[in-house]
Amino acid sequence: MRDLLAEENPVFFQELADEMDDPGKIKAIVTDLENTYPNAIKEAFPNARHQFCLQHAVESAKRIFVDELGKKNMTEEDQELLKELYSLPNIKSEQDYEMICKHFREWRTENESRIKEIRKKKGKKTNTNIGVDWWYGHVLSRKKNICAFIDIANCPPTSNSIESQFSRVKPRTYMMKSFQSESGAKNYLDLMAVYLNVAKFSDGHNRGSSIIELAGISWEQNIF
């Protein structure tokens, strides 16, 4: 998959740049942590800063910490560091970023022997190119990719809001396509009727209600 992305991403970004009147005006591009993006972005948009989506960054930190240390073995100190990492999307200055990096390095030094011991027990290598060390080197320490949003006006620290908008576009597009024919519209409305009639049982709105109460709600609000 990564080999495929390495081939396709440069083409995608170049086609995107070719569609623009002036791609040089693009100041920043926000992506997840996929490592095939940087070179493709640099070639197509040489004036743009590449900003990591910091929500992806902190979520990846959580996964790696849990995998590295074990969820049950995480100490209060581990949790405090993770809590500080979660604040990355809200930092206001490079000084805030530098402080988080400093605390990470201090934590890593203090827990070096512990991390090695955990890795040995799991049958993993004890070098510094895996786990939390890999995450630090490939994510947190890349200042330009973490802090671009601080320097560039209107550059968001995360792409989640954009992804959320696109997630709403998909079902709306599906609905529009459904209404292009009479049978499609009928099928869509039938399915929506079924959904609306059973959603009250499955979406949590009536959590804690008794079976009799739910039956009453269904009877009163029956849309068929």
Side-chain angles (χ1 to χ4, degrees), residues 115-126 130:
I115 291 172
K116 282 186 177 181
E117 190 61 33
I118 291 173
R119 287 175 180 172
K120 284 181 181 178
K121 287 182 179 179
K122 290 185 176 182
K124 294 182 177 180
K125 296 178 180 179
T126 58
I130 59 175

Side-chain angles (χ1 to χ4, degrees), residues 26-200:
I26 301 298
K27 296 181 179 179
I29 296 177
V30 187
T31 73
D32 61 23
L33 307 181
E34 168 56 46
N35 63 12
T36 61
Y37 286 139
N39 289 337
I41 291 172
K42 187 176 181 180
E43 290 178 10
F45 298 93
N47 297 327
R49 285 272 297 274
H50 181 196
Q51 167 71 49
F52 285 156
C53 169
L54 296 185
Q55 195 61 42
H56 282 84
V58 297
E59 288 171 0
S60 68
K62 181 179 180 180
R63 289 194 302 271
I64 286 174
F65 267 69
V66 170
D67 181 64
E68 177 91 299
L69 306 174
K71 192 172 184 179
K72 295 181 180 179
N73 298 324
M74 291 186 67
T75 65
E76 289 185 12
E77 187 183 15
D78 301 337
Q79 296 287 1
E80 283 299 315
L81 179 63
L82 267 180
K83 186 177 179 180
E84 190 171 9
L85 294 176
Y86 294 158
S87 71
L88 275 171
N90 302 313
I91 58 175
K92 304 298 183 185
S93 67
E94 290 188 8
Q95 287 73 24
D96 292 342
Y97 162 78
E98 296 290 356
M99 185 60 68
I100 292 174
C101 289
K102 177 176 178 288
H103 290 167
F104 186 101
R105 291 191 296 268
E106 290 172 350
W107 171 86
R108 181 61 182 86
T109 300
E110 292 171 2
N111 289 274
E112 182 173 7
S113 59
R114 172 184 165 223
I115 291 172
K116 282 186 177 181
E117 190 61 33
I118 291 173
R119 287 175 180 172
K120 284 181 181 178
K121 287 182 179 179
K122 290 185 176 182
K124 294 182 177 180
K125 296 178 180 179
T126 58
N127 61 36
T128 58
N129 296 319
I130 59 175
V132 293
D133 300 307
W134 179 93
W135 186 85
Y136 176 79
H138 286 76
V139 181
L140 185 60
S141 66
R142 295 173 69 172
K143 182 177 179 179
K144 289 184 178 180
N145 301 98
I146 296 290
C147 297
F149 78 99
I150 294 175
D151 304 323
I152 302 172
N154 301 321
C155 175
T158 169
S159 60
N160 278 23
S161 60
I162 300 170
E163 291 178 16
S164 177
Q165 289 296 327
F166 275 101
S167 70
R168 294 189 184 100
V169 168
K170 187 175 181 180
R172 289 174 183 172
T173 303
Y174 169 74
M175 181 175 68
M176 291 170 64
K177 288 182 177 179
S178 297
F179 279 84
Q180 288 178 354
S181 68
E182 183 178 349
S183 60
K186 182 180 183 302
N187 288 336
Y188 181 88
L189 292 172
D190 285 344
L191 289 171
M192 184 57 68
V194 172
Y195 164 73
L196 291 175
N197 210 41
V198 302
K200 59 182 67 69

Side-chain angles (χ1 to χ4, degrees), residues 203-223:
D203 64 5
H205 288 316
N206 294 288
R207 186 173 297 166
S209 300
S210 69
I211 298 298
I212 294 175
E213 288 173 327
L214 289 173
I217 293 171
S218 180
W219 179 261
E220 293 172 4
Q221 299 180 3
N222 196 315
I223 64 172

